[in-house]
Amino acid sequence: MLATKLAPLAFGLVLAAAGAALAAGPSDTDAEREARWRDVAASIFKDRTIQPTETLVKVEAPKRAEDAALVPITLTMPEKDKVQAVHLVIDDNPSPYAAHFRFGPAADPSELRLRVRVNSYTNVHAVAETKDGALYEATKFVKASGGCSAPMGMSDEEAMKGMGEMRMKFAGEAQAGKPVEATLMIRHPNFSGMQMNQITRDYTPARYVNKITVDTGNRNVFVMDGDISIASNPVINFAFLPAGPVKVTATDNQGGRWEHSFTAPSASN
């Protein structure tokens, strides 16, 4: 069964790109992977030029994933003041466009960490969008298989218990004018639509977090648009400049909506 019938693509991504991804395999040549990337990039960015970079964005990922359903990804942006957004694309996933982060005035976009599903041996692209609208990309090849269809290891009902609950941890002590590192955890199964219920043998309908908004005081930190490639129970590590309580709003593609506020650390006198 085509994954495109099970889980609709995010952000209006055309189905042709996903169809190309379904043909991916571990023995594909670099030329075949590059051709597929061009198709996926065209469906996301249209005719915009994407230039390679070694300074504006870097993507770190394991060469071979220990768990294809929980692959850690780190995006670093050394020239953070130039970057207004970053796009994460997993070329050969059924829905390649994994996430899009738009940074607000309270963001410190020097580093983002999250966990994703990887369905096949694939290139992972990070595309930084600068404040002048230019696009720059970095690539990492990851060996993994079956991450989008991997079962949860529990019943659907158990996986959905506490859906929308959130926690946030802060690292270190706050210093005036300095960014604070935070880890946001959201309980949500992020069903991909490709997972089979081990009891009923039916496919669990896709239900995934499609937007996360983080604000501090009246200043935005980031807005993330996501899709089925984000791992279950999303975890996002980021940095921000505290300007008051941290408010997180999350929604999913089935109309779920959750909000939670956290007390941000403040600099000691």
Side-chain angles (χ1 to χ4, degrees), residues 149-160:
S149 58
M152 294 285 292
M154 62 185 76
S155 69
D156 294 351
E157 292 74 18
E158 186 177 358
M160 295 174 69

Side-chain angles (χ1 to χ4, degrees), residues 97-269:
Y97 200 177
H100 174 213
F101 289 86
R102 298 187 300 279
F103 300 112
D108 179 328
S110 55
E111 181 178 282
L112 282 171
R113 285 180 284 157
L114 68 161
R115 303 180 303 185
V116 300
R117 296 174 169 130
V118 176
N119 210 54
S120 177
Y121 286 33
T122 184
N123 282 328
V124 175
H125 280 86
V127 179
E129 184 169 358
T130 57
K131 292 178 180 178
D132 61 3
L135 300 174
Y136 298 87
E137 59 99 357
T139 311
K140 184 77 172 182
F141 183 68
V142 177
K143 295 180 179 180
S145 181
C148 292
S149 58
M152 294 285 292
M154 62 185 76
S155 69
D156 294 351
E157 292 74 18
E158 186 177 358
M160 295 174 69
K161 284 182 179 178
M163 190 164 57
E165 292 178 359
M166 302 183 198
R167 289 190 294 159
M168 185 174 288
K169 295 181 179 179
F170 303 99
E173 296 183 0
Q175 301 179 43
K178 300 291 185 180
V180 170
E181 294 184 9
T183 302
L184 171 64
M185 295 158 278
I186 301 176
R187 186 166 179 81
H188 196 289
N190 259 26
F191 291 130
S192 68
M194 299 174 60
Q195 296 149 311
M196 181 179 288
N197 185 302
Q198 300 302 298
I199 298 174
T200 66
R201 310 304 291 176
D202 293 327
Y203 286 97
T204 301
R207 183 164 190 176
Y208 54 88
V209 174
N210 60 3
K211 187 179 289 292
I212 299 171
T213 302
V214 178
D215 298 299
T216 175
N218 61 358
R219 293 163 62 84
N220 178 248
V221 180
F222 68 78
V223 178
M224 186 208 83
D225 294 300
D227 205 319
I228 65 169
S229 293
I230 303 298
S232 60
N233 299 319
V235 177
I236 303 172
N237 297 79
F238 61 97
F240 72 107
L241 297 167
V246 179
K247 178 183 175 182
V248 180
T249 304
T251 62
D252 71 18
N253 68 314
Q254 295 294 332
R257 188 178 188 277
W258 304 272
E259 288 186 5
H260 197 91
S261 292
F262 303 90
T263 301
S266 58
S268 57
N269 294 328

Side-chain angles (χ1 to χ4, degrees), residues 41-105:
S43 54
I44 298 172
F45 304 105
K46 309 307 177 185
D47 58 354
R48 298 172 67 185
T49 299
I50 306 175
Q51 304 176 61
T53 183
E54 295 183 356
T55 58
L56 283 166
V57 65
K58 300 178 181 180
V59 54
E60 298 176 26
K63 292 182 178 179
R64 183 180 294 275
E66 293 184 8
D67 185 341
L70 290 169
V71 181
I73 299 288
T74 300
L75 306 178
T76 55
M77 285 147 282
E79 299 181 58
K80 61 182 182 180
D81 293 337
K82 296 181 179 179
V83 177
Q84 68 173 351
V86 65
H87 309 256
L88 178 62
V89 183
I90 305 172
D91 294 13
D92 297 332
N93 268 13
S95 182
Y97 200 177
H100 174 213
F101 289 86
R102 298 187 300 279
F103 300 112

Side-chain angles (χ1 to χ4, degrees), residues 30-43:
D30 289 344
E32 288 172 322
R33 296 189 187 282
E34 178 60 27
R36 217 158 30 243
W37 163 240
R38 287 197 298 269
D39 288 342
V40 172
S43 54

